[in-house]
Amino acid sequence: MKIPLTPIRFLHRARRQYGDKQAVVEDDKSWTYREYDERCRRLANLLLGWDLPAQSPVAFVAYNTHELLEGYYGVPLAEHVLLPLNVRLTADDFAFILDDAGASAVFFHADFLDSIVKIRDRLQTVERFVLLDPAEDAPSWIEQHTYEELLAQSSPQLQFDYMQVDENAVAEIFYTSGTTGRPKGVMLTHRNLYLHALELALALRTNDADVLLHTIPLFHVNGWGSPQLLTGLGGTHVMLPKFEPEKVFEAIERNGVTGLSLVPTMAIALVNFKHRDRYDLSSVRLITVGGSASNPHLTRQVEELFDCLCLAGYGLTETSPALTLARPKAHFELDEEERLDLQCMAGTANLGAEIEVWDEQGRPLPWDGQSVGEIVVRGDMVMEGYYNRPEENEEVFRGGWFHTGDAATIAPDGYVQIVDRTKDIIISGGENISSIEVEKALLGHEAVLECAVIAVPDDEWGEVPMALVVLKDDRQASEEELIAYAREHLAHFKCPRAVRFYDEFPKGGTGKILKRELREEFWSKVKKRVH
């Protein structure tokens, strides 16, 4: 027997198995899985009533709210493609993505009304505009009723047979951040999403008792797989529209949150929040950290604050996203320092993911923990491809594997250690320097809150590392002190030649530091740019 692999089956299971269980919580509102399923069906019927082109993208410009979570199932139930947009992009970015994807409808929060008004006349394919919340003086071309009013008018009865779904059809498109040019649409199929959820469930050991706080934006790389994973297993989604430390702690205490995912800048904000001791955090059992490299000092702080396990992981938009998790193997005998070091690695491949490192000639490198090469991947979770980018697809899938652009080593026991993005490796006097390694060292200093290490031009060496640092509010450190500290922990050629202090860093939609913007000041006047 062959049944289509589609995440819609997860919603069907949740309604049948957990219909009366709390499914979604947002502030003082909540919905059971039966109610959540009904709202998704109403959304699907709304879209079907509009007679949009078949398999067209339906966009959401939305915070982490229940409406966007409903889009994860309501849109594919109507046999359309979900297109969540990064809310921190510009209006011009919105226009490019909506046109590039050929979106037919866009749902958006009132905060983005000005952006939508600005680009409306330029959009080539969008037929419907829907406000997710009320807005004063909304233009007449926007739907007369808000999202909630439209759902109330829509029927909850939907005749849908998931046995008719083409598992290889595109279910979602996520646009990359565009650090190397215009954003590219990553196409994830029903099959990708279904198998990724199963593989991630095994890695995280999730079950129906879990209560997940959505700290990572749902518009970011498939919400790290949580919309499919948690729904399929009958866990509870706790929505957090915007990341604010105090709101995180309140939500954990109020809802008995068992798990959350963070990027390092989020983790830093939580462990340094001055009122953190006021809250009961005892329900938390697992925190995962990804998006950029963590470090043992931060991992220890997170585990001490929440009295939980904190594990790093690795993945990309193109891989649905999770590929690895840094959980210590059961037979390992590790002291505390070894355990923390291991939990900050990318980790071992999840079931279903095959990972290798290749040299520049496309030859596999040994798993010796020393040989550095590009991470290449194949597996059920790897994207269908970039939308309408045939040449780039040919390039990233060369040799039958997906090329990530990340440099790493793999230890004999299978643990992957990210060295850097290939474009972030600093090549100084012919020596390769990992910016991540230098950052980890400096983040061990008690005064350093955040750190980004970049290459800057140098007449003698071509380029050298510079440390950009944000200090903690109540601590001080000089340039000389931090360079000396780095020299105590690193080979001297790896140490930053200079330190510059910042009040804050430019960050992307998930809080990831934007090194590309930080580098621009130093490389903008260089004719031949290395990075």
Side-chain angles (χ1 to χ4, degrees):
M1 181 181 294
K2 185 176 181 181
I3 298 176
L5 304 181
T6 169
I8 293 169
R9 291 169 58 185
F10 297 147
L11 181 64
H12 177 75
R13 179 181 191 270
R15 178 177 62 83
R16 296 293 297 273
Q17 300 279 353
Y18 300 99
D20 295 327
K21 183 179 183 290
Q22 192 175 63
V24 183
V25 179
E26 185 176 324
D27 296 327
D28 59 351
K29 300 173 291 186
S30 68
W31 298 267
T32 65
Y33 267 109
R34 185 171 288 106
E35 291 167 334
Y36 176 54
D37 174 73
E38 179 182 304
R39 291 177 64 84
C40 293
R41 289 171 179 266
R42 288 180 183 271
L43 173 56
N45 276 323
L46 172 66
L47 297 174
L48 290 169
W50 287 344
D51 196 26
L52 302 173
Q55 274 286 300
S56 62
V58 174
F60 277 74
V61 185
Y63 298 119
N64 256 23
T65 60
H66 66 94
E67 294 97 343
L68 178 50
L69 187 64
E70 289 157 8
Y72 268 82
Y73 290 96
V75 173
L77 277 169
E79 299 186 76
H80 291 305
V81 179
L82 178 66
L83 174 63
L85 273 64
N86 184 335
V87 299
R88 297 186 67 172
L89 296 177
T90 67
D92 287 342
D93 291 328
F94 292 159
F96 171 80
I97 292 172
L98 292 169
D99 279 348
D100 188 68
S104 58
V106 57
F107 294 78
F108 58 97
H109 278 118
D111 284 359
F112 308 105
L113 176 58
D114 288 347
S115 294
I116 299 300
V117 169
K118 179 180 177 181
I119 64 175
R120 186 252 177 173
D121 289 340
R122 296 159 47 190
L123 299 178
Q124 302 297 310
T125 59
V126 177
E127 302 174 16
R128 300 276 185 162
F129 299 84
V130 179
L131 276 162
L132 295 172
D133 47 355
E136 295 183 4
D137 302 321
S140 59
W141 44 266
I142 291 177
E143 295 295 320
Q144 180 181 356
H145 300 287
T146 64
Y147 176 85
E148 202 63 36
E149 293 167 339
L150 290 169
L151 253 59
Q153 298 168 11
S154 186
S155 170
Q157 303 302 319
L158 176 68
Q159 299 300 318
F160 186 89
D161 182 3
Y162 59 73
M163 291 293 288
Q164 303 304 312
V165 171
D166 177 3
E167 65 180 39
N168 296 311
V170 176
E172 300 171 358
I173 296 180
F174 290 88
Y175 273 72
T176 61
S177 56
T179 55
T180 58
R182 276 296 199 179
K184 300 185 291 288
V186 172
M187 299 184 291
L188 301 179
T189 67
H190 288 260
R191 186 178 190 274
N192 287 150
L193 299 171
Y194 184 93
L195 291 173
H196 174 265
L198 297 186
E199 293 157 7
L200 186 58
L202 291 171
L204 296 178
R205 304 175 186 176
T206 307
N207 59 56
D208 61 347
D210 280 305
V211 180
L212 176 70
L213 179 61
H214 284 276
T215 39
I216 299 296
L218 287 172
F219 62 69
H220 180 66
V221 295
N222 187 35
W224 285 19
S226 54
Q228 296 88 21
L229 162 71
L230 199 65
T231 298
L233 293 171
T236 300
H237 301 267
V238 180
M239 310 311 297
L240 186 69
K242 299 179 183 179
F243 179 86
E244 299 172 29
E246 187 169 18
K247 296 292 186 183
V248 170
F249 290 123
E250 289 174 351
I252 291 171
E253 182 176 69
R254 183 171 60 249
N255 299 289
V257 169
T258 63
L260 56 153
S261 296
L262 305 168
V263 296
T265 54
M266 290 178 175
I268 290 168
L270 293 179
V271 299
N272 287 283
F273 182 63
K274 61 182 179 180
H275 300 309
R276 61 189 182 277
D277 295 334
R278 295 179 181 178
Y279 299 92
D280 179 3
L281 308 175
S282 60
S283 59
V284 179
R285 67 172 184 85
L286 176 65
I287 291 177
T288 56
V289 178
S292 55
S294 185
N295 64 84
H297 177 66
L298 180 59
T299 298
R300 178 184 287 109
Q301 288 181 307
V302 170
E303 291 193 343
E304 289 176 351
L305 173 59
F306 291 95
D307 190 23
C308 74
L309 183 65
C310 178
L311 303 176
Y314 168 70
L316 305 93
T317 306
E318 291 89 342
T319 59
S320 300
L323 289 170
T324 67
L325 190 67
R327 189 187 296 276
K329 294 180 180 179
H331 68 281
F332 283 3
E333 295 181 3
L334 307 171
D335 61 28
E336 185 70 358
E337 184 176 344
E338 291 171 332
R339 180 184 69 84
L340 291 171
D341 283 341
L342 184 145
Q343 289 174 200
C344 292
M345 298 178 73
T348 57
N350 295 339
L351 190 65
E354 298 181 34
I355 298 178
E356 299 284 352
V357 288
W358 288 6
D359 65 15
E360 293 181 354
Q361 286 71 46
R363 297 173 300 201
L365 294 172
W367 288 20
D368 57 10
Q370 300 295 324
S371 302
V372 177
E374 182 184 15
I375 299 176
V376 295
V377 183
R378 63 183 180 188
D380 312 301
M381 73 300 296
V382 178
M383 66 172 180
E384 177 72 11
Y386 296 119
Y387 178 71
N388 202 26
R389 301 287 198 280
E391 292 182 0
E392 293 184 53
N393 288 331
E394 184 176 349
E395 171 66 17
V396 297
F397 284 111
R398 64 190 184 276
W401 293 65
F402 172 70
H403 291 248
T404 66
D406 290 321
T409 64
I410 304 180
D413 53 15
Y415 280 82
V416 178
Q417 176 66 61
I418 304 295
V419 174
D420 230 324
R421 286 293 293 173
T422 51
K423 68 178 185 300
D424 287 340
I425 289 178
I426 301 163
I427 305 175
S428 185
E431 295 282 358
N432 287 0
I433 301 171
S434 164
S435 65
I436 292 176
E437 183 183 4
V438 184
E439 288 162 4
K440 284 185 175 181
L442 288 171
L443 285 165
H445 192 285
E446 62 179 11
V448 175
L449 179 67
E450 295 180 300
C451 177
V453 173
I454 63 171
V456 296
D458 182 84
D459 291 339
E460 181 178 0
W461 300 101
E463 58 186 28
V464 294
M466 173 183 278
L468 313 180
V469 170
V470 175
L471 296 175
K472 296 176 182 177
D473 289 340
D474 58 346
R475 300 294 176 92
Q476 294 294 321
S478 66
E479 178 181 41
E480 293 76 16
E481 180 182 349
L482 292 180
I483 291 175
Y485 181 84
R487 292 172 72 89
E488 292 175 7
H489 295 83
L490 297 167
H492 289 187
F493 77 89
K494 297 180 180 181
C495 295
R497 304 296 180 90
V499 177
R500 178 174 291 192
F501 296 96
Y502 287 70
D503 293 329
E504 61 180 1
F505 288 139
K507 294 174 182 174
T510 61
K512 187 174 181 179
I513 297 169
L514 299 177
K515 286 188 178 181
R516 172 174 51 88
E517 293 187 15
L518 292 170
R519 280 193 292 261
E520 188 63 26
E521 173 186 353
F522 303 97
W523 290 94
S524 59
K525 296 180 181 179
V526 178
K527 291 183 179 179
K528 183 178 180 181
R529 299 181 63 169
V530 179
H531 292 277

